[in-house]
Structure formats: C-alpha cells, structure tokens
Amino acid sequence: MRILLIRTSALGDVVHALPVLRALRRQLPDAHISWVLEGWIAPLLANDPDLNEIVEVSLRSWRRLPWHRHLGHWLRLRQHLRQLRPDVVLDLMGNHKAAFIARLSGCRRRVGLRREDRREPSSSLWINQPVPALGNHAVDRMLSVLQGLDLLTESSSFGGELLRPDLTPDEHQHLKTLPQRYAVILPGAGWGNKTWTASHWAAVAAELERRIELPTLLAPGPGEEDLTEAILQQSAQHELRISSAGVLSIPGLVSLLRNAEVVLGGDTGPGHLAHALHTPTIMIHGPTDPHRHGLWRAEEYSLAHRLPCSYCHKRFDSPKACLLRLSPHRVADAAIARIRQHPNPPASESASTDRSFNR
C-alpha cells in the first residue's frame, strides 16, 4: 500500500502527527509512506526509518510570488504527487489546504475527519471517506483518521528515539560548548498571550539554580531576541548561570532538548517536541485548552490557572490573567518534581544518547 500523509506544518502539529506515522509502520510494515511537509520542518524527519519519502513544499512563500510562479509550483507539486501513485491519502489537517493537496494527488481514496470535526468544515467536500474524531486531544483526533484503514488508533507513541536529524559541523561545535547539566526555557510563543513575562521566567531560573543547582539555557525562536535579552537582564541582577543557546536549526533544537534535564515553555512546537523526545517537560497554558493542546498523555504537566474566560483560543498581543496568575514558584515546583520523577532517560534513549551531541 502506498500512503500519503498531509500535515504540512507547524512544528507542534507535525510532532502531534508522529503517532500516526508510528501506527502505520507498526501495523503496515511493508507500506510505502510519504509525507507532505514544509521544507523548513523536513530535517526533523530526514533520517526517520518509518518514513519512505518527504514531499517538501513552501506554501507560505508561494503565496507571496507572482501568480504565474505560484501556479508553476502547484503544477510541479501535482506532477510529483501523481508520480507517487498513492493508494490512500490521509488528511491530518482538516482544512482546505490539506484537502486540496489530497485532491491534487489524483488519489481516489481520501480519508479525513468528517465535516463537524474539521477545522474548516466546508473542506470536507474534498474528502470522500470521512471518519469521526474519537478524542479531544489533537493527537487523538489525528489518530482517528486511521479508522479509514481499519487500523488500531489507541496504541501508539511519538517514537522520539527515532528522530535523529543531522547537525551541521558548526552547530555540533556550538552545542559541545554548553553545560553538561541544564534546564531549557523556551521563552516565546506564537501568540502574545501565550508568552510569559521575562520576570516570570527569570524567577523560575533563579529557583532552579537555588534549589537544585541547575543552570538554565534559553532557546529562543526567530524574532524572540528582545524577550531573550530581557530575561538575561533580569537574571543578571541575581547573578544566575543563565545564557542563551541562540536560535537553532531543527537538528540543533532536537539535540538541545534531548539532553536537557527539564524543558519549560508555553504551548509551542518546541515544547511538544521536547515531550516527544522523552525529556521531562512542563508546559504553561493560557488561551489554549491543555486537554486538547497540552502534553499528550501527560496532561498533569500542562499547567493552567482556570478562569471563566480561559481557553478562549483568541490571539492577543500580550499575556492575560489566565497566564499571569501562574506563579513562577508553582512552575519551578512542577519542574523540580518532574526531574525527580524522571532522573534518567528511558532505556531506549540512554543506549543511543551521550552528552557530546555527536549525532
């Protein structure tokens, strides 16, 4: 069977789709599995043994091109997909973009969530084998699509030990200079109201150092330089061992997160990636529901302060009370407890993980 997965972005959503890939490979070991993926995320799965082929796209940049070049990219994608000759397409996005790509493939069997369970309900017109969502969490909703192949949806995992993207020589050398033990703070988030304040993060770093002598590394994303600098300035007042790892590539981020003792951040893709890598992770939530967007099968480590307006899923430019009322002390307590519950990497990781970042 030739299977085409469509989950183009973003990083957290691609991580949430990994259990679908693992379930497919386990239950259909001889299948040829391809995945349509944004080019900047593609290195995450470049060496994944469960995946046969990545079909790279750059949908965001295509939209900024003149119409004739925009059309040319879509025509080349259509040609590539039809050369794959998929027997079934699994739409893991539930919107018009994914459903259109499914139709573009020419595949006659297009499986996706039914209309009432889709992010963009009218996109169900492109799908000819709808299935119901069997759970609330984003991962469980994607796993529901396996019903279309009469496969099991419950027993699956991220398979984080299989994520072994290649580091560049420069990044390899950079990561070797980092401390032997460290916590990682992911300071930013895609929305302003998902982003905690610099003073809150600095206070958490201070507690980690004071209570368990653990230094902190900041792992900012593009555009988070000002927030990172503000945290460093706050931390300098307390003479903390805190520094920035800089903006890393996907392979560099995987290595940094995999070797951390704990990772703390908001509802962001790197946070979900850390959890998939089996690293102890604490995630803080404000506008998004931890039962749907928290750490899969580890919701007790997705912290939230519930208010009547919580989980509005609306974007604002700055954090609101739902996030600000989470105290640094509570987050630090959770991080320390998580470390003590998970002092060493699991056996499947420890055999292949050293502290030299040589992978």
Side-chain angles (χ1 to χ4, degrees):
M1 179 178 287
R2 302 180 67 84
I3 302 170
L4 179 65
L5 303 179
I6 304 178
R7 176 75 258 183
T8 61
S9 64
L11 177 59
D13 295 320
V14 169
V15 170
H16 282 160
L18 287 174
V20 175
L21 174 63
R22 307 304 174 209
L24 287 170
R25 181 55 69 204
R26 185 179 67 254
Q27 298 179 65
L28 299 172
D30 298 324
H32 183 282
I33 305 174
S34 305
W35 192 324
V36 182
L37 193 61
E38 284 280 347
W40 69 271
I41 305 179
L44 179 68
L45 299 178
N47 299 319
D48 197 300
D50 286 345
L51 189 62
N52 296 99
E53 183 173 354
I54 296 173
V55 180
E56 292 190 28
V57 295
S58 299
L59 302 183
R60 292 181 181 179
S61 63
W62 292 359
R63 290 196 296 265
R64 297 192 293 268
L65 296 174
W67 72 268
H68 58 282
R69 293 184 60 193
H70 183 281
L71 179 61
H73 283 295
W74 280 106
L75 291 174
R76 284 189 288 275
L77 176 60
R78 176 180 180 272
Q79 182 181 18
H80 189 167
L81 294 177
R82 299 206 171 193
Q83 287 173 346
L84 288 176
R85 297 178 288 104
D87 298 300
V88 61
V89 177
L90 302 184
D91 169 11
L92 304 180
M93 298 175 72
N95 61 12
H96 281 285
K97 177 168 62 177
F100 176 69
I101 293 173
R103 184 66 183 85
L104 202 66
S105 72
C107 182
R108 295 184 179 182
R109 189 180 178 192
R110 302 181 298 279
V111 183
L113 293 180
R114 62 187 179 183
R115 177 184 177 87
E116 55 264 44
D117 292 324
R118 296 179 71 81
R119 181 179 175 186
E120 296 175 1
S122 60
S123 66
S124 62
L125 294 172
W126 303 93
I127 298 300
N128 59 14
Q129 191 175 343
V131 297
L134 298 181
N136 188 44
H137 195 281
V139 173
D140 295 314
R141 291 169 62 83
M142 282 192 251
L143 283 168
S144 301
V145 175
L146 297 176
Q147 296 172 95
L149 299 178
D150 295 323
L151 299 179
L152 298 175
T153 63
E154 297 87 359
S155 179
S156 191
S157 68
F158 290 111
E161 66 278 4
L162 302 178
L163 300 177
R164 297 283 170 180
D166 295 321
L167 288 169
T168 66
D170 287 346
E171 205 153 45
H172 172 75
Q173 290 301 317
H174 169 59
L175 290 170
K176 286 176 67 176
T177 68
L178 300 180
Q180 189 78 1
R181 297 177 60 241
Y182 57 85
V184 169
I185 286 178
L186 306 167
W191 306 355
N193 54 326
K194 284 186 180 181
T195 305
W196 227 19
T197 65
S199 60
H200 280 60
W201 282 129
V204 170
E207 289 215 35
L208 293 180
E209 181 154 339
R210 177 179 62 83
R211 295 167 61 183
I212 58 173
E213 299 183 351
L214 186 64
T216 297
L217 293 175
L218 303 178
E224 296 173 6
E225 292 82 4
D226 289 346
L227 176 60
T228 300
E229 183 59 32
I231 297 172
L232 293 174
Q233 289 178 3
Q234 291 271 346
S235 301
Q237 301 173 12
H238 305 284
E239 299 182 353
L240 300 178
R241 291 178 297 165
I242 182 170
S243 58
S244 174
V247 178
L248 299 170
S249 67
I250 292 290
L253 186 62
V254 168
S255 287
L256 181 77
L257 299 177
R258 175 173 273 136
N259 287 290
E261 291 199 13
V262 69
V263 174
L264 305 99
D267 177 10
T268 66
H272 292 291
L273 176 59
H275 179 54
L277 293 169
H278 311 296
T279 301
T281 304
I282 300 296
M283 184 170 285
I284 61 172
H285 287 261
T288 56
D289 186 349
H291 295 295
R292 183 160 182 168
H293 302 284
L295 300 174
W296 186 50
R297 295 181 177 172
E299 291 176 11
E300 64 271 29
Y301 305 117
S302 297
L303 307 184
H305 183 90
R306 185 66 185 266
L307 296 172
C309 58
S310 288
Y311 317 147
C312 64
H313 212 80
K314 295 179 180 178
R315 300 189 185 206
F316 295 100
D317 294 333
S318 59
K320 304 301 178 186
C322 54
L323 198 60
L324 294 176
R325 290 193 186 180
L326 277 170
S327 72
H329 184 73
R330 179 182 172 190
V331 174
D333 275 350
I336 292 169
R338 189 78 175 95
I339 291 170
R340 288 171 176 166
Q341 293 167 359
H342 192 291
N344 297 303
S348 60
E349 288 279 71
S350 59
S352 58
T353 301
D354 61 28
R355 302 296 293 186
S356 69
F357 297 97
N358 186 21
R359 45 193 163 275

